[in-house]
Short mmCIF file of all heavy atoms in Angstrom, two decimals:
data_model
loop_
_atom_site.label_atom_id
_atom_site.label_comp_id
_atom_site.label_asym_id
_atom_site.label_seq_id
_atom_site.Cartn_x
_atom_site.Cartn_y
_atom_site.Cartn_z
N TRP A 117 -6.86 -25.24 24.19
CA TRP A 117 -7.42 -26.51 24.63
C TRP A 117 -6.27 -27.43 25.02
O TRP A 117 -5.54 -27.93 24.15
CB TRP A 117 -8.26 -27.14 23.51
CG TRP A 117 -9.47 -26.34 23.13
CD1 TRP A 117 -9.47 -25.13 22.51
CD2 TRP A 117 -10.83 -26.69 23.36
NE1 TRP A 117 -10.76 -24.70 22.33
CE2 TRP A 117 -11.62 -25.64 22.85
CE3 TRP A 117 -11.46 -27.78 23.94
CZ2 TRP A 117 -13.00 -25.64 22.90
CZ3 TRP A 117 -12.84 -27.79 23.99
CH2 TRP A 117 -13.60 -26.74 23.48
N LYS A 118 -6.07 -27.59 26.33
CA LYS A 118 -5.03 -28.50 26.79
C LYS A 118 -5.45 -29.92 26.39
O LYS A 118 -6.50 -30.40 26.80
CB LYS A 118 -4.85 -28.40 28.29
CG LYS A 118 -4.31 -27.04 28.73
CD LYS A 118 -4.07 -26.99 30.23
CE LYS A 118 -3.50 -25.64 30.63
NZ LYS A 118 -3.23 -25.55 32.09
N MET A 119 -4.61 -30.54 25.59
CA MET A 119 -5.03 -31.79 24.97
C MET A 119 -3.84 -32.67 24.68
O MET A 119 -2.76 -32.18 24.33
CB MET A 119 -5.79 -31.49 23.67
CG MET A 119 -6.42 -32.69 23.00
SD MET A 119 -6.99 -32.31 21.31
CE MET A 119 -7.84 -30.77 21.54
N LYS A 120 -4.04 -33.95 24.82
CA LYS A 120 -3.03 -34.94 24.45
C LYS A 120 -3.50 -35.64 23.19
O LYS A 120 -4.67 -36.05 23.10
CB LYS A 120 -2.85 -35.93 25.59
CG LYS A 120 -1.70 -36.90 25.42
CD LYS A 120 -1.60 -37.78 26.68
CE LYS A 120 -0.50 -38.81 26.55
NZ LYS A 120 -0.45 -39.69 27.75
N ILE A 121 -2.64 -35.77 22.20
CA ILE A 121 -3.01 -36.42 20.95
C ILE A 121 -1.94 -37.44 20.57
O ILE A 121 -0.81 -37.41 21.07
CB ILE A 121 -3.19 -35.41 19.79
CG1 ILE A 121 -1.89 -34.64 19.55
CG2 ILE A 121 -4.34 -34.47 20.06
CD1 ILE A 121 -1.94 -33.73 18.33
N SER A 122 -2.33 -38.33 19.69
CA SER A 122 -1.42 -39.34 19.17
C SER A 122 -1.28 -39.11 17.66
O SER A 122 -2.28 -39.00 16.95
CB SER A 122 -1.97 -40.74 19.44
OG SER A 122 -1.11 -41.73 18.95
N VAL A 123 -0.04 -39.01 17.20
CA VAL A 123 0.24 -38.73 15.79
C VAL A 123 0.87 -39.96 15.16
O VAL A 123 1.79 -40.56 15.73
CB VAL A 123 1.18 -37.52 15.64
CG1 VAL A 123 1.50 -37.26 14.17
CG2 VAL A 123 0.55 -36.28 16.27
N VAL A 124 0.38 -40.34 13.99
CA VAL A 124 0.96 -41.48 13.28
C VAL A 124 1.61 -40.98 11.99
O VAL A 124 1.04 -40.18 11.25
CB VAL A 124 -0.10 -42.57 12.98
CG1 VAL A 124 -1.21 -42.04 12.09
CG2 VAL A 124 0.57 -43.79 12.34
N PHE A 125 2.82 -41.42 11.76
CA PHE A 125 3.56 -41.13 10.54
C PHE A 125 3.56 -42.41 9.69
O PHE A 125 4.03 -43.45 10.14
CB PHE A 125 5.00 -40.71 10.85
CG PHE A 125 5.10 -39.55 11.80
CD1 PHE A 125 5.16 -39.76 13.18
CD2 PHE A 125 5.14 -38.25 11.32
CE1 PHE A 125 5.26 -38.70 14.05
CE2 PHE A 125 5.24 -37.18 12.19
CZ PHE A 125 5.30 -37.40 13.56
N LYS A 126 3.03 -42.30 8.48
CA LYS A 126 2.93 -43.49 7.62
C LYS A 126 3.67 -43.24 6.31
O LYS A 126 3.56 -42.17 5.71
CB LYS A 126 1.47 -43.82 7.32
CG LYS A 126 0.72 -44.40 8.51
CD LYS A 126 -0.64 -44.93 8.08
CE LYS A 126 -0.54 -46.13 7.17
NZ LYS A 126 -0.08 -47.34 7.88
N PHE A 127 4.41 -44.27 5.89
CA PHE A 127 5.17 -44.19 4.65
C PHE A 127 4.78 -45.34 3.74
O PHE A 127 4.63 -46.47 4.19
CB PHE A 127 6.68 -44.27 4.94
CG PHE A 127 7.21 -43.08 5.65
CD1 PHE A 127 7.02 -42.92 7.02
CD2 PHE A 127 7.90 -42.11 4.96
CE1 PHE A 127 7.51 -41.82 7.67
CE2 PHE A 127 8.41 -41.01 5.61
CZ PHE A 127 8.21 -40.85 6.98
N LYS A 128 4.63 -45.04 2.47
CA LYS A 128 4.35 -46.08 1.50
C LYS A 128 5.61 -46.93 1.31
O LYS A 128 6.64 -46.43 0.88
CB LYS A 128 3.91 -45.48 0.17
CG LYS A 128 3.43 -46.50 -0.85
CD LYS A 128 2.92 -45.81 -2.11
CE LYS A 128 2.40 -46.83 -3.10
NZ LYS A 128 1.89 -46.17 -4.33
N GLY A 129 5.49 -48.20 1.66
CA GLY A 129 6.64 -49.08 1.55
C GLY A 129 7.56 -49.05 2.75
O GLY A 129 8.57 -49.73 2.78
N PHE A 130 7.19 -48.21 3.77
CA PHE A 130 7.98 -48.14 4.98
C PHE A 130 7.11 -48.54 6.17
O PHE A 130 5.95 -48.89 6.03
CB PHE A 130 8.53 -46.71 5.20
CG PHE A 130 9.48 -46.27 4.13
CD1 PHE A 130 9.02 -45.77 2.93
CD2 PHE A 130 10.85 -46.34 4.34
CE1 PHE A 130 9.89 -45.35 1.94
CE2 PHE A 130 11.73 -45.92 3.36
CZ PHE A 130 11.26 -45.43 2.16
N THR A 131 7.68 -48.49 7.34
CA THR A 131 6.90 -48.76 8.54
C THR A 131 6.20 -47.49 9.00
O THR A 131 6.47 -46.40 8.52
CB THR A 131 7.81 -49.28 9.67
OG1 THR A 131 8.81 -48.29 9.94
CG2 THR A 131 8.46 -50.59 9.26
N LYS A 132 5.29 -47.66 9.97
CA LYS A 132 4.65 -46.49 10.55
C LYS A 132 5.24 -46.23 11.94
O LYS A 132 5.74 -47.15 12.59
CB LYS A 132 3.14 -46.68 10.65
CG LYS A 132 2.66 -47.70 11.65
CD LYS A 132 1.15 -47.77 11.64
CE LYS A 132 0.64 -48.80 12.65
NZ LYS A 132 -0.83 -48.92 12.62
N ARG A 133 5.15 -44.98 12.35
CA ARG A 133 5.66 -44.61 13.66
C ARG A 133 4.59 -43.79 14.37
O ARG A 133 3.93 -42.95 13.76
CB ARG A 133 6.93 -43.79 13.52
CG ARG A 133 7.59 -43.47 14.87
CD ARG A 133 8.90 -42.74 14.64
NE ARG A 133 8.86 -41.40 15.20
CZ ARG A 133 9.83 -40.51 15.03
NH1 ARG A 133 10.88 -40.82 14.30
NH2 ARG A 133 9.74 -39.32 15.56
N ILE A 134 4.41 -44.05 15.67
CA ILE A 134 3.38 -43.37 16.45
C ILE A 134 4.06 -42.59 17.57
O ILE A 134 4.93 -43.12 18.27
CB ILE A 134 2.38 -44.38 17.03
CG1 ILE A 134 1.69 -45.15 15.89
CG2 ILE A 134 1.34 -43.67 17.89
CD1 ILE A 134 0.93 -46.36 16.36
N GLN A 135 3.66 -41.33 17.75
CA GLN A 135 4.17 -40.49 18.83
C GLN A 135 3.02 -39.79 19.52
O GLN A 135 2.02 -39.44 18.88
CB GLN A 135 5.14 -39.44 18.29
CG GLN A 135 6.55 -39.94 18.01
CD GLN A 135 7.45 -38.81 17.56
OE1 GLN A 135 7.63 -38.60 16.36
NE2 GLN A 135 8.03 -38.09 18.51
N GLU A 136 3.17 -39.57 20.82
CA GLU A 136 2.18 -38.81 21.58
C GLU A 136 2.71 -37.41 21.86
O GLU A 136 3.89 -37.23 22.16
CB GLU A 136 1.87 -39.53 22.90
CG GLU A 136 1.19 -40.88 22.69
CD GLU A 136 0.94 -41.62 24.00
OE1 GLU A 136 1.27 -41.06 25.08
OE2 GLU A 136 0.45 -42.76 23.95
N PHE A 137 1.80 -36.43 21.76
CA PHE A 137 2.16 -35.04 22.01
C PHE A 137 1.08 -34.39 22.87
O PHE A 137 -0.07 -34.84 22.89
CB PHE A 137 2.30 -34.26 20.70
CG PHE A 137 3.37 -34.80 19.78
CD1 PHE A 137 3.04 -35.70 18.77
CD2 PHE A 137 4.69 -34.43 19.95
CE1 PHE A 137 4.01 -36.20 17.93
CE2 PHE A 137 5.68 -34.93 19.10
CZ PHE A 137 5.33 -35.82 18.10
N GLU A 138 1.46 -33.33 23.57
CA GLU A 138 0.51 -32.68 24.46
C GLU A 138 0.59 -31.17 24.32
O GLU A 138 1.68 -30.58 24.37
CB GLU A 138 0.78 -33.08 25.91
CG GLU A 138 -0.23 -32.52 26.90
CD GLU A 138 0.02 -32.99 28.32
OE1 GLU A 138 0.72 -34.02 28.49
OE2 GLU A 138 -0.46 -32.32 29.26
N PHE A 139 -0.58 -30.56 24.12
CA PHE A 139 -0.67 -29.10 24.20
C PHE A 139 -0.79 -28.73 25.67
O PHE A 139 -1.80 -29.03 26.32
CB PHE A 139 -1.90 -28.59 23.43
CG PHE A 139 -1.77 -28.68 21.94
CD1 PHE A 139 -2.37 -29.71 21.23
CD2 PHE A 139 -1.05 -27.72 21.23
CE1 PHE A 139 -2.26 -29.80 19.85
CE2 PHE A 139 -0.93 -27.81 19.85
CZ PHE A 139 -1.54 -28.85 19.16
N LYS A 140 0.23 -28.06 26.23
CA LYS A 140 0.22 -27.73 27.66
C LYS A 140 -0.03 -26.24 27.88
O LYS A 140 -1.03 -25.85 28.47
CB LYS A 140 1.55 -28.13 28.29
CG LYS A 140 1.76 -29.64 28.37
CD LYS A 140 3.08 -29.95 29.08
CE LYS A 140 3.28 -31.46 29.22
NZ LYS A 140 4.58 -31.78 29.89
N ASP A 141 0.89 -25.41 27.42
CA ASP A 141 0.74 -23.98 27.65
C ASP A 141 0.97 -23.15 26.37
O ASP A 141 0.95 -21.93 26.41
CB ASP A 141 1.70 -23.50 28.74
CG ASP A 141 3.14 -23.96 28.48
OD1 ASP A 141 3.40 -24.45 27.38
OD2 ASP A 141 3.97 -23.80 29.39
N LYS A 142 1.20 -23.84 25.26
CA LYS A 142 1.39 -23.15 23.99
C LYS A 142 0.55 -23.83 22.92
O LYS A 142 0.22 -25.01 23.03
CB LYS A 142 2.87 -23.17 23.57
CG LYS A 142 3.78 -22.39 24.51
CD LYS A 142 5.23 -22.43 24.01
CE LYS A 142 6.14 -21.65 24.94
NZ LYS A 142 7.56 -21.70 24.49
N ASN A 143 0.23 -23.05 21.87
CA ASN A 143 -0.61 -23.61 20.81
C ASN A 143 0.20 -24.19 19.66
O ASN A 143 -0.34 -24.47 18.59
CB ASN A 143 -1.58 -22.55 20.29
CG ASN A 143 -0.85 -21.40 19.61
OD1 ASN A 143 0.38 -21.30 19.63
ND2 ASN A 143 -1.63 -20.50 19.01
N ARG A 144 1.52 -24.36 19.88
CA ARG A 144 2.38 -24.93 18.84
C ARG A 144 3.24 -26.03 19.45
O ARG A 144 3.80 -25.87 20.53
CB ARG A 144 3.27 -23.87 18.20
CG ARG A 144 2.51 -22.76 17.51
CD ARG A 144 3.45 -21.66 17.03
NE ARG A 144 4.16 -22.05 15.83
CZ ARG A 144 5.46 -22.31 15.78
NH1 ARG A 144 6.19 -22.26 16.88
NH2 ARG A 144 6.05 -22.64 14.65
N ILE A 145 3.33 -27.14 18.73
CA ILE A 145 4.22 -28.22 19.13
C ILE A 145 5.20 -28.45 17.99
O ILE A 145 4.79 -28.74 16.86
CB ILE A 145 3.45 -29.53 19.41
CG1 ILE A 145 2.45 -29.33 20.55
CG2 ILE A 145 4.42 -30.66 19.75
CD1 ILE A 145 1.52 -30.52 20.74
N VAL A 146 6.49 -28.30 18.28
CA VAL A 146 7.52 -28.54 17.28
C VAL A 146 7.97 -29.99 17.40
O VAL A 146 8.32 -30.46 18.48
CB VAL A 146 8.72 -27.60 17.47
CG1 VAL A 146 9.82 -27.93 16.44
CG2 VAL A 146 8.28 -26.16 17.33
N ILE A 147 7.91 -30.72 16.29
CA ILE A 147 8.27 -32.13 16.30
C ILE A 147 9.72 -32.27 15.83
O ILE A 147 9.99 -32.35 14.63
CB ILE A 147 7.33 -32.95 15.39
CG1 ILE A 147 5.87 -32.66 15.71
CG2 ILE A 147 7.62 -34.44 15.52
CD1 ILE A 147 4.90 -33.37 14.80
N SER A 148 10.62 -32.26 16.75
CA SER A 148 12.02 -32.47 16.39
C SER A 148 12.23 -33.96 16.14
O SER A 148 11.68 -34.81 16.82
CB SER A 148 12.95 -32.00 17.51
OG SER A 148 12.66 -32.69 18.70
N GLY A 149 13.02 -34.26 15.12
CA GLY A 149 13.25 -35.65 14.79
C GLY A 149 12.09 -36.30 14.07
O GLY A 149 11.98 -37.52 14.02
N SER A 150 11.18 -35.51 13.53
CA SER A 150 10.05 -36.06 12.77
C SER A 150 10.56 -36.81 11.55
O SER A 150 11.54 -36.40 10.92
CB SER A 150 9.13 -34.93 12.31
OG SER A 150 8.31 -35.35 11.26
N PRO A 151 9.91 -37.92 11.20
CA PRO A 151 10.29 -38.60 9.94
C PRO A 151 10.21 -37.66 8.74
O PRO A 151 10.94 -37.82 7.78
CB PRO A 151 9.27 -39.73 9.83
CG PRO A 151 8.84 -39.98 11.24
CD PRO A 151 8.86 -38.64 11.90
N ASN A 152 9.32 -36.67 8.84
CA ASN A 152 9.16 -35.75 7.72
C ASN A 152 10.39 -34.87 7.52
O ASN A 152 10.61 -34.33 6.44
CB ASN A 152 7.94 -34.86 7.94
CG ASN A 152 6.66 -35.64 7.90
OD1 ASN A 152 6.67 -36.83 7.65
ND2 ASN A 152 5.55 -34.99 8.16
N THR A 153 11.20 -34.70 8.58
CA THR A 153 12.40 -33.87 8.46
C THR A 153 13.30 -34.41 7.37
O THR A 153 13.86 -33.67 6.56
CB THR A 153 13.15 -33.85 9.80
OG1 THR A 153 12.29 -33.39 10.83
CG2 THR A 153 14.37 -32.96 9.71
N LYS A 154 13.41 -35.74 7.30
CA LYS A 154 14.30 -36.37 6.34
C LYS A 154 13.76 -36.27 4.92
O LYS A 154 14.53 -36.16 3.95
CB LYS A 154 14.51 -37.84 6.73
CG LYS A 154 15.47 -38.60 5.82
CD LYS A 154 15.66 -40.02 6.34
CE LYS A 154 16.62 -40.79 5.44
NZ LYS A 154 16.81 -42.20 5.92
N TYR A 155 12.41 -36.33 4.79
CA TYR A 155 11.83 -36.46 3.45
C TYR A 155 11.03 -35.23 3.01
O TYR A 155 10.38 -35.26 1.97
CB TYR A 155 10.89 -37.68 3.41
CG TYR A 155 11.59 -38.99 3.71
CD1 TYR A 155 11.36 -39.66 4.91
CD2 TYR A 155 12.47 -39.54 2.80
CE1 TYR A 155 11.98 -40.86 5.19
CE2 TYR A 155 13.11 -40.74 3.06
CZ TYR A 155 12.86 -41.39 4.26
OH TYR A 155 13.49 -42.58 4.54
N ALA A 156 11.09 -34.14 3.79
CA ALA A 156 10.23 -32.99 3.50
C ALA A 156 10.43 -32.44 2.10
O ALA A 156 9.48 -32.00 1.46
CB ALA A 156 10.47 -31.89 4.54
N ASN A 157 11.67 -32.47 1.61
CA ASN A 157 11.94 -31.90 0.29
C ASN A 157 12.10 -32.96 -0.79
O ASN A 157 12.50 -32.66 -1.91
CB ASN A 157 13.21 -31.04 0.34
CG ASN A 157 13.01 -29.83 1.23
OD1 ASN A 157 11.96 -29.22 1.20
ND2 ASN A 157 14.03 -29.48 2.01
N ASP A 158 11.76 -34.21 -0.44
CA ASP A 158 11.89 -35.32 -1.39
C ASP A 158 10.51 -35.72 -1.88
O ASP A 158 9.79 -36.46 -1.24
CB ASP A 158 12.59 -36.50 -0.72
CG ASP A 158 12.92 -37.61 -1.72
OD1 ASP A 158 12.43 -37.53 -2.87
OD2 ASP A 158 13.63 -38.56 -1.36
N ASN A 159 10.13 -35.20 -3.03
CA ASN A 159 8.79 -35.45 -3.55
C ASN A 159 8.61 -36.87 -4.07
O ASN A 159 7.51 -37.28 -4.42
CB ASN A 159 8.47 -34.45 -4.67
CG ASN A 159 8.31 -33.04 -4.15
OD1 ASN A 159 7.80 -32.84 -3.04
ND2 ASN A 159 8.75 -32.06 -4.92
N SER A 160 9.69 -37.64 -4.11
CA SER A 160 9.57 -39.02 -4.58
C SER A 160 9.10 -39.96 -3.49
O SER A 160 8.74 -41.10 -3.76
CB SER A 160 10.93 -39.50 -5.11
OG SER A 160 11.88 -39.59 -4.05
N VAL A 161 9.11 -39.49 -2.25
CA VAL A 161 8.70 -40.33 -1.12
C VAL A 161 7.27 -39.98 -0.73
O VAL A 161 6.96 -38.83 -0.44
CB VAL A 161 9.64 -40.14 0.09
CG1 VAL A 161 9.16 -40.98 1.27
CG2 VAL A 161 11.07 -40.52 -0.29
N ASP A 162 6.38 -40.99 -0.75
CA ASP A 162 4.99 -40.78 -0.37
C ASP A 162 4.82 -41.07 1.12
O ASP A 162 5.16 -42.16 1.59
CB ASP A 162 4.07 -41.72 -1.16
CG ASP A 162 4.01 -41.34 -2.62
OD1 ASP A 162 4.20 -40.15 -2.92
OD2 ASP A 162 3.77 -42.23 -3.46
N TYR A 163 4.29 -40.11 1.84
CA TYR A 163 4.06 -40.32 3.26
C TYR A 163 2.94 -39.41 3.73
O TYR A 163 2.56 -38.45 3.06
CB TYR A 163 5.33 -40.07 4.08
CG TYR A 163 5.83 -38.64 4.04
CD1 TYR A 163 5.35 -37.67 4.92
CD2 TYR A 163 6.81 -38.27 3.12
CE1 TYR A 163 5.81 -36.38 4.87
CE2 TYR A 163 7.27 -36.98 3.06
CZ TYR A 163 6.77 -36.02 3.94
OH TYR A 163 7.23 -34.73 3.88
N SER A 164 2.42 -39.72 4.90
CA SER A 164 1.40 -38.86 5.50
C SER A 164 1.64 -38.76 7.00
O SER A 164 2.20 -39.66 7.61
CB SER A 164 -0.01 -39.41 5.25
OG SER A 164 -0.24 -40.56 6.04
N THR A 165 1.22 -37.65 7.54
CA THR A 165 1.25 -37.43 8.98
C THR A 165 -0.19 -37.22 9.42
O THR A 165 -0.83 -36.26 8.98
CB THR A 165 2.10 -36.21 9.35
OG1 THR A 165 3.38 -36.34 8.75
CG2 THR A 165 2.25 -36.08 10.85
#
Side-chain angles (χ1 to χ4, degrees):
W117 296 69
K118 294 183 178 181
M119 186 192 314
K120 188 177 178 182
I121 60 174
S122 180
V123 178
V124 61
F125 305 89
K126 287 190 67 72
F127 292 78
K128 187 176 182 180
F130 295 82
T131 59
K132 69 180 180 182
R133 185 176 117 187
I134 300 167
Q135 280 183 265
E136 295 177 2
F137 299 95
E138 184 177 340
F139 288 101
K140 292 183 178 179
D141 51 10
K142 295 181 180 179
N143 65 353
R144 299 174 76 250
I145 299 172
V146 177
I147 309 177
S148 59
S150 162
N152 293 356
T153 303
K154 182 177 180 181
Y155 299 109
N157 295 320
D158 188 350
N159 291 325
S160 66
V161 178
D162 290 333
Y163 63 87
S164 73
T165 307

